[in-house]
């Protein structure tokens, strides 16, 4: 039993595991591949937008610087040194060109590096300065223009200087660019809360303040400083860097974005997908578990039913074999019994002819003959029962009134009941329909049950016979006021030769014959203990049992019982 239970729970576990493996694993794999590809696409999109942003800002910064250079060059081309070096003129010029506040100051320096005029907030600190040795001055004089790196200058404020010469290179016209305006150009390049955008020179020094307040490139970020054409994209740690060289390879504009910040939409979609996948997987698995349980439950039920049927078959087989055996024995014993009876009868007949004087023990002989006949009759009863057990079920069905059959059977045992002060009460349904069945066989069952009830009650008791019918069957109940049946006896009560009675009294065949006959009649016999004491036997007979049963009883062996 336990083994069976373990087998089914193993089967259940096996099936559930198979479902897990064949449903969950492919689902997880496909989900992982899909999410991986979606992430790749999302990162590609982030890269593309980083590239666009970097190119856009590079253009903006370059255009801004070019605009300053063009403005200064135009002015330098318009005014000769004499006019440009005139302080009131420069003041006037500053006011007219700097309406938008792009320029902090203007400086006019002659070709020897001497300051000719200056307009701006730092006049006093630069008064009388000579710039001839300053690198920017030299470069401007040679190349005609100069755009500096950002430097702190004399005033300890970040400067970006743009300087041009007039066409004849008689002076240098220099402007300090408002770094706030310049820095503002990169503000638009910030992507996400951790994003950054800045310009560094070839040495990695910040030309614009980092939006995140970084003042120095991290070691890994130094790799960005390798020169490259166009716009390049690189991933360092959790960040994506898009960089583009500008100002003839002197400055590098970097747009830095944290990948996870930019994956917001992707993350949202991924989480939604994961939720749907998890929910549907759970649903699948729940359904799979229920299905497995149901399937294994059904299997278990079918197996149990089959085992029950097998057990019944065994019982039927057992009875069939016993039937064959019984028929053989009865057949063999019957003839000698017949002979003994005949001989005893013959002796009985002859004895009265003897002279009582000559035969001293005549009375004894007559007694002995009577005893022989009595015991042979008993033996005959047993063989008769054995044959009843094995007798072929006649296919001759007739319309039988169960009530009448019962009344007749009761009349057989009435005397014995009265002698033992046992009341046989008959609660018979007056409207009980007749049924097509084998009357003598059924009567045999009634008789066996009644005999058993009488034996169980012994003295001073009651046997109640009740009949009733429903649409499909008739039920006949025999309840007695005997001691009832113990669990041990109950288990074997239908086994042939099982008896609790004294050897002379019980054969142990009655109940097994009843079982067998009822089965063949298409009905059944059930036994239980009555709550108020005693045993109850219930016979159930089908109402229209016409076609089945009887034909070809395997236990019959063509035995001819006519000799009884
Ligand atoms: P037998 O009557 O020859 O013993 P049965 O097959 O008719 O054989 O009965 C088998 C056993 O079942 C009996 O020995 C008895 O122990 C038990 N039995 C049958 N009917 C009753 C009953 N009405 N009350 C109690 N026990 C019973």
């Amino acid at each position: 039993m336990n083994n069976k239970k373990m087998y089914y729970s193993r089967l259940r576990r096996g099936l559930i595991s198979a479902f897990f493996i064949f449903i969950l694993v492919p689902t997880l794999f496909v989900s992982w591949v899909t999410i991986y590809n979606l992430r790749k696409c999302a990162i590609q999109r982030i890269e593309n937008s980083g590239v666009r942003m970097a190119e856009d800002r590079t253009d903006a910064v370059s255009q801004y610087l070019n605009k300053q250079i063009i403005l200064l060059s135009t002015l330098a081309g318009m005014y000769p040194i004499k006019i440009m070096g005139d302080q009131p003129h420069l003041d006037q010029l500053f006011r007219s060109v700097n309406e938008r506040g792009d320029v902090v100051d203007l400086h006019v320096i002659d070709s020897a590096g001497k300051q000719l005029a200056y307009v701006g907030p730092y006049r006093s600190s630069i008064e009388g300065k000579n710039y001839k040795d300053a690198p920017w001055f030299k470069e401007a004089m040679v190349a005609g223009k100069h755009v500096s790196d950002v430097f702190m200058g004399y005033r300890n404020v970040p400067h970006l200087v743009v300087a041009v010469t007039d066409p004849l290179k008689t002076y240098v016209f220099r402007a300090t660019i408002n770094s706030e305006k310049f820095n503002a150009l990169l503000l638009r390049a910030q992507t996400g809360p951790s994003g950054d955008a800045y310009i560094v020179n070839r040495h990695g020094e910040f030309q614009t303040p980092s939006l995140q307040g970084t003042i120095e490139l991290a070691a890994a970020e130094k790799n960005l400083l390798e020169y490259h054409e166009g716009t390049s994209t690189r991933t360092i740690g959790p960040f994506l860097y898009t960089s583009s060289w500008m100002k003839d390879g002197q400055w590098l504009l970097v747009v830095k974005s944290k990948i996870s910040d930019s994956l917001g939409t992707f993350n949202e979609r991924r989480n939604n997908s994961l939720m749907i996948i998890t929910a549907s997987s759970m649903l699948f698995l729940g359904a799979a578990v229920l299905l497995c349980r149901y399937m294994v439950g059904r299997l278990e039920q079918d197996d149990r039913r089959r085992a029950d049927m097998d057990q019944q078959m065994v019982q039927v087989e057992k009875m069939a074999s016993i039937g064959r055996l019984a028929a053989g024995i009865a057949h063999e014993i019957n003839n000698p019994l017949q002979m003994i009876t005949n001989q005893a009868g013959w002796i009985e007949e002859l004895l009265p002819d003897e002279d009582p004087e000559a035969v001293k023990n005549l009375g004894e002989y007559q007694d002995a003959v009577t005893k022989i006949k009595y015991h042979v009759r008993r033996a005959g009863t047993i063989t008769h029962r054995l044959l009843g057990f094995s007798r072929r079920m006649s296919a001759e069905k007739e319309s039988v009134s169960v009530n009448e059959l019962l009344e007749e059977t009761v009349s057989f045992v009435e005397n014995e009941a009265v002698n033992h002060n046992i009341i046989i009460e008959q609660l018979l349904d007056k409207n009980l329909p007749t049924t097509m069945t084998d009357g003598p066989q059924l009567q045999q069952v009634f008789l066996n049950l009644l005999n058993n009830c009488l034996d169980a009650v012994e003295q001073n008791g009651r046997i109640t016979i009740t009949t009733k019918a429903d649409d499909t069957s008739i039920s006949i109940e025999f309840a007695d006021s005997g001691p009832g049946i113990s669990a041990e006896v109950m288990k074997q009560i239908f086994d042939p030769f099982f008896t609790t009675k004294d050897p002379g009294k019980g054969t142990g065949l009655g109940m097994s014959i009843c079982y067998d006959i009822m089965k063949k009649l298409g009905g059944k016999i059930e036994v239980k203990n009555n709550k108020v004491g005693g045993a109850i036997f219930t016979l159930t007979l089908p109402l229209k049992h016409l076609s089945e049963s009887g034909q070809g009883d395997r236990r019959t062996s063509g035995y001819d019982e006519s000799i009884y």
Side-chain angles (χ1 to χ4, degrees):
M1 194 67 183
N2 267 348
N3 276 353
K4 274 266 172 205
K5 276 218 156 76
M6 269 168 66
Y7 166 76
Y8 288 117
S9 73
R10 259 209 313 275
L11 187 69
R12 205 172 293 127
R13 275 202 304 273
L15 277 173
I16 292 173
S17 313
F19 268 113
F20 261 91
I21 291 166
F22 291 113
I23 294 178
L24 211 58
V25 171
T27 310
L28 287 181
F29 180 70
V30 171
S31 313
W32 180 79
V33 170
T34 312
I35 287 172
Y36 176 78
N37 285 332
L38 279 177
R39 190 171 195 275
K40 249 174 105 174
C41 289
I43 290 177
Q44 186 66 52
R45 266 203 304 279
I46 297 167
E47 274 180 23
N48 292 345
S49 85
V51 167
R52 271 199 307 279
M53 182 65 78
E55 285 173 352
D56 179 57
R57 292 299 87 193
T58 306
D59 284 351
V61 171
S62 302
Q63 274 175 24
Y64 183 81
L65 292 177
N66 280 343
K67 206 176 95 188
Q68 305 308 324
I69 290 169
I70 290 167
L71 179 69
L72 293 187
S73 298
T74 311
L75 292 173
M78 278 169 59
Y79 302 108
I81 187 167
K82 242 184 159 176
I83 300 174
M84 196 61 106
D86 180 42
Q87 187 62 45
H89 173 264
L90 191 66
D91 289 342
Q92 170 90 37
L93 198 62
F94 181 74
R95 276 196 297 278
S96 57
V97 299
N98 198 29
E99 270 173 3
R100 288 170 52 204
D102 288 340
V103 175
V104 177
D105 62 10
L106 285 176
H107 229 144
V108 181
I109 301 147
D110 69 11
S111 55
K114 189 170 157 255
Q115 178 189 302
L116 296 177
Y118 172 83
V119 56
Y122 308 113
R123 183 189 295 269
S124 56
S125 57
I126 58 165
E127 198 77 48
K129 283 257 185 271
N130 190 304
Y131 294 98
K132 83 171 182 305
D133 294 326
W136 63 267
F137 180 77
K138 286 183 189 167
E139 191 194 320
M141 285 305 288
V142 173
K145 64 172 182 181
H146 164 78
V147 178
S148 76
D149 272 1
V150 175
F151 62 99
M152 296 311 280
Y154 300 119
R155 291 151 281 175
N156 213 22
V157 175
H159 277 60
L160 171 69
V161 165
V162 178
V164 297
T165 60
D166 66 317
L168 299 173
K169 294 195 176 171
T170 55
Y171 69 91
V172 172
F173 189 32
R174 183 186 118 144
T176 303
I177 304 298
N178 183 342
S179 60
E180 268 181 29
K181 289 253 168 187
F182 179 67
N183 295 343
L185 289 174
L186 295 185
L187 282 180
R188 271 187 52 205
Q190 183 174 17
T191 47
S194 315
D196 207 350
Y198 46 81
I199 295 173
V200 289
N201 65 13
R202 277 195 210 130
H203 310 292
E205 291 157 355
F206 279 74
Q207 301 302 301
T208 59
S210 147
L211 304 175
Q212 295 294 337
T214 316
I215 49 165
E216 204 181 347
L217 287 183
E221 291 173 333
K222 294 258 165 68
N223 294 333
L224 298 169
L225 298 174
E226 284 164 21
Y227 183 76
H228 56 79
E229 286 295 333
T231 309
S232 123
T233 307
R234 191 183 283 226
T235 304
I236 301 171
F239 292 101
L240 183 79
Y241 293 82
T242 315
S243 57
S244 168
W245 285 100
M246 56 193 287
K247 207 181 143 209
D248 299 327
Q250 289 177 32
W251 285 359
L252 180 71
L253 183 138
V254 178
V255 175
K256 173 180 170 184
S257 49
K258 194 165 188 187
I259 296 172
S260 55
D261 284 353
S262 314
L263 285 176
T265 323
F266 160 78
N267 284 340
E268 205 176 297
R269 282 186 194 157
R270 181 202 55 196
N271 292 347
N272 283 347
S273 308
L274 281 178
M275 252 164 61
I276 292 170
I277 291 168
T278 313
S280 43
S281 299
M282 300 292 280
L283 213 72
F284 254 130
L285 288 176
V289 169
L290 287 181
L291 195 70
C292 289
R293 289 194 163 180
Y294 172 75
M295 276 163 49
V296 175
R298 281 296 298 266
L299 203 70
E300 201 174 345
Q301 217 176 27
D302 286 352
D303 278 1
R304 211 177 301 133
R305 210 172 291 146
R306 202 172 310 128
D308 284 353
M309 273 171 64
D310 285 353
Q311 212 176 341
Q312 278 180 26
M313 282 303 292
V314 169
Q315 178 76 3
V316 169
E317 284 296 326
K318 197 161 73 179
M319 308 264 288
S321 324
I322 304 242
R324 275 195 293 274
L325 184 74
I329 295 172
H331 187 72
E332 290 307 318
I333 291 178
N334 187 55
N335 289 340
L337 285 182
Q338 192 79 40
M339 283 304 296
I340 296 169
T341 312
N342 290 345
Q343 294 310 312
W346 181 232
I347 294 172
E348 201 175 26
E349 271 179 35
L350 293 179
L351 276 178
D353 299 343
E354 296 299 323
D355 179 4
E357 297 301 316
V359 184
K360 263 205 308 190
N361 299 318
L362 186 65
E364 299 283 320
Y365 292 144
Q366 279 171 331
D367 271 3
V369 168
T370 313
K371 278 182 186 156
I372 288 170
K373 283 177 79 180
Y374 167 74
H375 286 289
V376 167
R377 226 180 4 262
R378 275 205 59 207
T381 312
I382 292 175
T383 54
H384 180 77
R385 282 194 169 188
L386 277 175
L387 281 163
F389 179 70
S390 64
R391 181 170 52 186
R392 174 193 351 227
M393 212 53 152
S394 69
E396 297 152 21
K397 297 274 170 62
E398 53 189 338
S399 176
V400 173
S401 161
V402 170
N403 282 350
E404 279 174 20
L405 202 65
L406 268 170
E407 279 161 356
E408 188 185 286
T409 318
V410 169
S411 72
F412 297 162
V413 295
E414 227 158 21
N415 277 343
E416 192 182 344
V418 170
N419 289 343
H420 293 91
N421 196 23
I422 297 170
I423 299 163
I424 301 181
E425 186 181 17
Q426 296 181 65
L427 304 175
L428 308 183
D429 180 354
K430 286 203 175 61
N431 300 319
L432 201 74
T434 56
T435 182
M436 294 297 289
T437 192
D438 184 327
Q441 294 282 312
L442 193 59
Q443 193 165 43
Q444 171 89 54
V445 174
F446 293 164
L447 197 60
N448 287 357
L449 291 179
L450 274 172
N451 280 332
N452 275 345
C453 290
L454 286 170
D455 286 348
V457 175
E458 287 180 3
Q459 287 284 341
N460 310 327
R462 177 180 289 267
I463 297 168
T464 311
I465 306 170
T466 315
T467 58
K468 52 190 171 214
D470 60 21
D471 288 347
T472 54
S473 60
I474 293 177
S475 90
I476 307 124
E477 200 177 272
F478 292 79
D480 65 42
S481 59
I485 301 165
S486 70
E488 214 27 62
V489 172
M490 195 73 95
K491 269 192 238 162
Q492 307 170 69
I493 194 163
F494 293 114
D495 283 356
F497 301 114
F498 170 77
T499 178
T500 56
K501 295 176 190 167
D502 296 336
K505 195 141 199 300
T507 59
L509 286 169
M511 292 309 297
S512 63
I513 288 170
C514 292
Y515 178 90
D516 197 52
I517 291 174
M518 287 314 291
K519 203 149 179 72
K520 296 215 160 188
L521 293 179
K524 62 181 177 186
I525 175 167
E526 288 161 308
V527 56
K528 63 181 179 190
N529 282 315
N530 200 344
K531 280 187 198 117
V532 294
I536 303 179
F537 292 85
T538 310
L539 305 175
T540 311
L541 260 185
L543 251 183
K544 292 174 187 167
H545 190 75
L546 287 165
S547 53
E548 308 143 50
S549 90
Q551 284 119 354
D553 178 3
R554 280 169 297 152
R555 290 179 302 173
T556 58
S557 47
Y559 178 70
D560 177 8
E561 66 179 300
S562 59
I563 56 169
Y564 289 101

